[in-house]
Amino acid sequence: MRLGFLFLSSPLSSSSSVIGSSISRSIVRPAPSLLLHRPFHFFPNRATNSSNNFQFSGRTTLTASASSSMASEQARVPPALQLPSPPITKFKIGLCQLAVTADKERNIVHARTAIEEAAEKGAKLVVLPEIWNSPYSNDSFPTYAEDIDAGPDASPSTAMLSEVARLLKITIVGGSIPERCGDKLYNTCCVFDADGKLKAKHRKIHLFDIDIPGKITFKESQTLTAGETPTVVDTEIGRIGIGICYDIRFQELAMLYAARGAHLICYPGAFNMTTGPLHWELLQRARAVDNQLYVATCAPARDAGAGYVAWGHSTLIGPFGEVLATTEHDEAIIISEIDYSQIELRRTNLPLEKQRRGDLYQLVDVQRSSSQ
């Protein structure tokens, strides 16, 4: 009996700064000891009163010694990368929760002012919200989209991010903007280093298509195309995994980033007034505590008159699932400290990586396997 699920994975880029450049499949599969080639029967364990306790009985029996003989490293195939030593252990992060208007030029100037303020307060990493240069709507995406690869004249939003990152000597996770590439549109996040160089470009992998009757219906797929590349990038402030909003709901993506040595996952996002109160903080804390790393989110400020009303509540979560800094729904610049030594401390306190059961389940990064 084979049990498994699929999730997005990516190959290792030839560039040393970005891990991942295309799509492949990864499979969670049982180890060989569970691929039973003989008939077996499944009976309740009658030695206990609990109906939830079971044991295998028949020609093939799983034993404790068999399971314990499997190394924990086999739960990650290939094994998880060792957490790299970051260039800096402690630094300040700035989350810029911005009000977004229909005036694109105003949005760009406003975002620059917020970045400069965050840097003045000591932030070495600044994160912007999802879709910060445009109203969040399928009607707006084609109008506000920019051709990022065509240069600064075709993409004034990313030109500003590159310039301000270079002038202020900071790393910027540039939220996301609508990107035009040929005849396709993407929801795209750009990462710039302290020299203003574009280090990574993440296109939203999981499109936001939901229908909650009487609450909210939105289908990004009406105008946007899904990205095909999970993104992990090495920067001056450590290794960062990038997701955009709906990507946070898919724990496999975060597991992949953790297995590739990310210190921090940044999710620019714009949860709404229905799912925001229920799931926004919950998902951030889950991704952080499950993978024992930092999670940062940045949302637009709430505009009650907009067609799509954002929940706000930009937040930084620590590797123990603790809320380190957050805000409400108005415009705000959150400054907080990240201390990567806390990752090692928490992983020592709770050595999950050493306790995974490679004899029962495996997370297989097919691309990494094929590239070795």
Side-chain angles (χ1 to χ4, degrees), residues 298-321:
C298 190
R302 191 180 307 169
D303 178 0
Y308 181 94
V309 182
W311 171 240
H313 294 262
S314 302
T315 304
L316 176 67
I317 306 292
F320 216 43

Side-chain angles (χ1 to χ4, degrees), residues 12 67 103 117 192:
L12 296 175
S67 64
D103 185 337
E117 182 177 339
F192 292 91

Side-chain angles (χ1 to χ4, degrees), residues 46-309:
R46 293 180 175 85
T48 178
N49 292 327
S50 172
S51 61
N52 293 325
N53 294 323
F54 296 97
Q55 64 182 3
F56 284 98
S57 177
R59 292 188 179 184
T60 303
T61 303
L62 302 180
T63 65
S65 61
S67 64
S68 62
S69 67
M70 305 297 291
S72 61
E73 287 82 2
Q74 291 182 275
R76 307 283 200 188
V77 182
L81 300 177
Q82 184 176 357
L83 192 70
S85 297
I88 185 171
T89 302
K90 288 184 181 182
F91 64 93
K92 289 183 179 180
I93 183 174
L95 309 176
C96 299
Q97 184 163 291
L98 304 175
V100 179
T101 71
D103 185 337
K104 182 177 181 180
E105 184 176 348
R106 180 267 179 198
N107 293 335
I108 294 173
V109 172
H110 189 54
R112 179 173 188 143
T113 300
I115 295 169
E116 290 171 343
E117 182 177 339
E120 287 175 3
K121 294 179 178 179
K124 294 298 183 182
L125 169 66
V126 177
V127 186
L128 296 186
E130 180 185 24
I131 307 293
W132 57 267
N133 71 344
S134 161
Y136 188 92
S137 73
N138 281 314
D139 291 338
S140 298
F141 296 152
T143 303
Y144 288 75
E146 299 179 2
D147 187 342
I148 296 170
D149 294 335
D153 291 340
S155 182
S157 299
T158 58
M160 180 275 290
L161 297 178
S162 174
E163 181 182 32
V164 75
R166 176 178 56 82
L167 292 175
L168 299 177
K169 298 300 179 185
I170 60 173
T171 300
I172 296 178
V173 174
S176 76
I177 65 171
E179 178 198 9
R180 184 181 302 280
C181 184
D183 60 353
K184 295 180 179 180
L185 298 177
Y186 298 94
N187 186 342
T188 300
C189 174
C190 293
V191 180
F192 292 91
D193 67 11
D195 292 326
K197 179 182 177 182
L198 177 62
K199 296 286 289 184
K201 186 169 69 172
H202 178 80
R203 291 167 171 167
K204 190 174 186 178
I205 294 172
H206 305 93
L207 295 184
F208 179 61
D209 284 6
I210 70 165
D211 183 11
I212 303 176
K215 296 290 185 178
I216 182 171
T217 298
F218 200 98
K219 295 189 182 298
E220 281 188 325
S221 62
Q222 289 179 355
T223 55
L224 300 178
T225 299
E228 297 184 341
T229 309
T231 304
V232 178
V233 55
D234 285 318
T235 74
E236 293 94 342
I237 52 82
R239 184 168 293 176
I240 306 176
I242 304 293
I244 299 175
C245 200
Y246 205 53
D247 286 340
I248 200 173
R249 288 193 177 273
F250 299 88
Q251 67 270 32
E252 300 90 345
L253 184 63
M255 292 164 63
L256 176 61
Y257 289 164
R260 291 189 175 189
H263 301 97
L264 163 70
I265 305 178
C266 291
Y267 293 100
F271 269 47
N272 56 74
M273 297 299 293
T274 299
T275 59
L278 291 171
H279 299 152
W280 181 233
E281 182 181 301
L282 172 67
L283 287 166
Q284 296 173 63
R285 298 184 69 189
R287 299 295 85 85
V289 75
D290 284 351
N291 297 288
Q292 298 177 305
L293 43 63
Y294 281 88
V295 167
T297 62
C298 190
R302 191 180 307 169
D303 178 0
Y308 181 94
V309 182

